[in-house]
Amino acid sequence: MTWVPGRGRPVVIPEDETSLRGARIDARGRIAWLLRLSRLAAAPGPAGRFVEMLRAQGCVLGPSTLCRYETGVEAVPKSVVSAYERALDAPAGRLVGVCLGLDRMFGPALASDVAPAFSRAALSDALGEWEEQVATRSMTGTDWIHLADAITRPTGPVLPPSMLHDWVAQLVSETMRSVRHAYTTRTHALDLLLADRSAGRVVLDTVASAVAEPGAQSVTNVLPILGGSSDPSVLRWLLMHFEHSEGEQMWGAAYGLLNQICTGRLPVDLVPRIARAALDAASDGPGRGEPAFALAQRLSANLTQQVVTRLGYYAAPTAVGARVQSPTALSAYRAAALQASGLDDPMLDRLLREALSPDFVERRHHSSLLLAVSPYRKVVSEVALEQVRAPAGPYAAHAAGHALSYLAVPEQREDLVDLLETVPESRAAMLVALARAGGVPEHVDLAALAADPVLAPTVVYAAGMSNHPDLALFAASPQLAGEQVQRHAIWWQETGTAVSDVPAGMPSDCLSLAG
């Protein structure tokens, strides 16, 4: 931990002191950092005052316990993270979702909560409410977590099979289209169900069916969840999908297998089969070889070299600015954050390095999600916009575009549209950022952009997430952008648009450390 100048008294900012390229990260420290920075941004002042704010939310703890939680000395229970959300008037799940993700992937990082007991009457009432919310498609991510927790308890209710299948199908569909905390909370709900003996099979069957639908997009939102299972049959299915798919489908399976590799849970008997699958895929060329390379990198140096030999090139950015040790433009992000917050924040430095580099795809994902719910979101996204517009060096624009897909806020849509029109090489990234930041404005001519066959799948993704008027054009005519784009468009029309869990009229929920 580092002592830095604060207002009146020093502020302790948790650090992650693990090796930058080491096997593990300090997930507990990252959760502590998020809680402390969120409190400083939204409720500055003495810790004792915030203790009283927590008490008003039914969370009773003392200043010393608060300090231990916010410095990573003691693991935080999920119930306390939820109390932070309520005390800070944050959307439900905003902090909880990302913390649960860190706990699953890099934990244990959260303390165990004593599960509240359900009376028979309370459970009956809850089931009735959930049934109505599912029917009206008004479930939030935290609602799904509560439902999954209730029905997977040993003493939980046994749902009729048809009801369980319908509910899981809706959850999977929403997860494929969800963004930020709507996504992190729903993935946790699916993970809870996946770990249950009876519900787990339903999750596997539903995911398999959903990703097999003609035109399905965003399959990388749900396929990796299967990698959290301890059921060998689920992992064998995931590996089979990796062996027999390509494109986004194959990448989704690769991310799921990376989950097993990175958490150290991959059964040893699957390693030879994964190695063979990676080598076979590398022989098929870039489309299948690059996901194979991503897996090989995390299995062994020898397998990586064999994949590179078959593929014919090293399938990762080689620019100096792409490395986690020294990402291009890191100093610009740090300087802007320091000016906004007044804090010399070593944890922010670590998260930026991981978010701006492709070296560790799972860390890049979770660090980006963490930045997206932190008080730094707006200032970091502003720098990313500038790096797309005028990159400081090699890989800077690519890294910034990827960051904006997590960090862009609705207030920046005009800037994103400008970059969409003026920086052709970043169009795909800008479309994804717009789709996840409130949608592509109706005046943007997506039909014209779909004339580029390489860009077309991203264009229809953005149209579907945004419920853009051009979606109907894509669905009506295969002549406009091809039959595959037409299938994608029809899938979006039948499935629905983006799921954000942000009530209408609520701002982008960015906090600020300035002032």
Side-chain angles (χ1 to χ4, degrees):
M1 289 174 283
T2 299
W3 288 88
V4 296
R7 292 188 178 276
R9 299 181 63 184
V11 179
V12 180
I13 303 297
E15 296 183 42
D16 185 337
E17 297 179 335
T18 59
S19 172
L20 195 58
R21 302 190 70 92
R24 303 293 296 170
I25 66 165
D26 182 1
R28 182 194 294 184
R30 297 182 184 210
I31 291 172
W33 173 86
L34 178 62
L35 295 183
R36 172 145 290 188
L37 268 291
S38 298
R39 175 174 68 82
L40 290 174
R49 187 168 70 186
F50 188 66
V51 166
E52 292 305 314
M53 293 170 65
L54 290 175
R55 188 185 301 273
Q57 302 300 327
C59 177
V60 180
L61 50 82
S64 61
T65 302
L66 183 79
C67 180
R68 293 197 298 275
Y69 286 160
E70 291 190 354
T71 54
V73 173
E74 186 175 336
V76 188
K78 171 179 157 294
S79 59
V80 173
V81 181
S82 296
Y84 267 72
E85 291 177 343
R86 297 192 300 274
L88 299 175
D89 289 327
R94 180 176 176 271
L95 303 179
V96 166
V98 71
C99 291
L100 289 169
L102 286 168
D103 183 65
R104 284 196 314 276
M105 189 70 190
F106 305 107
L110 292 169
S112 299
D113 267 313
V114 177
F118 277 112
S119 68
R120 184 171 299 179
L123 184 56
S124 177
D125 290 343
L127 284 171
E129 291 177 11
W130 290 327
E131 186 173 10
E132 180 179 349
Q133 288 176 281
V134 171
T136 58
R137 299 183 180 273
S138 59
M139 292 281 283
T140 66
T142 51
D143 291 330
W144 283 115
I145 289 176
H146 294 150
L147 185 155
D149 173 64
I151 66 178
T152 56
R153 292 186 186 189
T155 57
V158 178
L159 300 183
S162 60
M163 177 181 285
L164 179 60
H165 279 80
D166 289 348
W167 286 10
V168 172
Q170 182 163 321
L171 174 56
V172 168
S173 173
E174 290 180 7
T175 305
M176 294 174 77
R177 298 173 285 116
S178 60
V179 297
R180 299 191 177 89
H181 67 273
Y183 162 76
T184 56
T185 46
R186 282 170 175 79
T187 56
H188 185 70
L190 281 172
D191 189 73
L192 290 174
L193 294 168
L194 187 62
D196 182 75
R197 179 176 296 181
S198 57
R201 187 68 208 184
V202 176
V203 172
L204 173 60
D205 292 344
T206 304
V207 169
S209 175
V211 302
E213 290 180 11
Q217 289 195 300
S218 294
V219 298
T220 52
N221 268 18
V222 291
L223 282 169
I225 296 168
L226 301 179
S229 176
S230 58
D231 184 342
S233 66
V234 175
L235 302 181
R236 286 193 295 271
W237 183 94
L238 196 59
L239 179 50
M240 182 181 68
H241 197 70
F242 176 85
E243 293 169 329
H244 299 288
S245 62
E246 59 185 13
E248 189 183 15
Q249 297 274 355
M250 189 177 182
W251 274 111
Y255 293 147
L257 294 170
L258 277 172
N259 185 320
Q260 287 281 311
I261 295 169
C262 296
T263 56
R265 298 190 309 238
L266 181 68
V268 294
D269 62 303
L270 289 184
V271 174
R273 183 175 165 186
I274 291 177
R276 287 194 301 272
L279 290 171
D280 290 344
S283 300
D284 294 336
R288 301 193 72 244
E290 292 187 4
F293 175 83
L295 278 183
Q297 270 194 309
R298 306 309 289 272
L299 281 174
S300 74
N302 181 53
L303 179 61
T304 301
Q305 185 55 53
Q306 293 180 63
V307 167
V308 169
T309 300
R310 293 201 182 191
L311 189 56
Y313 65 98
Y314 191 82
T318 55
V320 174
R323 299 281 71 79
V324 71
Q325 298 95 316
S326 54
T328 301
L330 175 63
S331 60
Y333 291 95
R334 288 192 301 200
L338 177 61
Q339 182 177 7
S341 69
L343 298 175
D344 179 18
D345 191 339
M347 184 69 83
L348 174 66
D349 181 273
R350 174 66 176 263
L351 296 175
L352 285 170
R353 289 176 183 274
E354 294 174 355
L356 298 173
S357 168
D359 282 351
F360 299 91
V361 294
E362 76 288 352
R363 297 183 192 181
R364 187 182 207 185
H365 175 64
H366 286 277
S367 293
S368 299
L369 288 172
L370 194 54
L371 288 169
V373 298
S374 80
Y376 291 111
R377 176 181 171 186
K378 184 71 177 292
V379 66
V380 171
S381 61
E382 290 289 349
V383 177
L385 288 169
E386 185 56 35
Q387 288 302 314
V388 173
R389 188 175 293 112
Y395 200 72
H398 184 91
H402 184 272
L404 286 169
S405 71
Y406 288 84
L407 304 177
V409 298
E411 297 87 341
Q412 294 169 329
R413 289 197 298 169
E414 185 176 333
D415 292 311
L416 294 169
V417 170
D418 177 65
L419 293 173
L420 178 68
E421 296 171 347
T422 59
V423 188
E425 60 271 23
S426 293
R427 279 178 177 159
M430 296 307 98
L431 285 168
V432 173
L434 281 163
R436 297 176 181 177
V440 180
E442 292 188 1
H443 67 81
V444 175
D445 188 354
L446 291 182
L449 291 174
D452 179 349
V454 175
L455 191 62
T458 307
V459 172
V460 73
Y461 164 82
M465 288 283 283
S466 310
N467 196 24
H468 192 277
D470 287 354
L471 186 67
L473 299 179
F474 297 138
S477 173
Q479 283 73 39
L480 188 62
E483 291 183 358
Q484 186 57 43
V485 167
Q486 182 186 37
R487 284 191 287 270
H488 290 322
I490 293 171
W491 180 83
W492 282 104
Q493 287 182 325
E494 293 175 348
T495 306
T497 187
V499 177
S500 68
D501 285 359
V502 176
M506 178 174 282
S508 59
D509 68 278
C510 285
L511 301 174
S512 172
L513 285 165

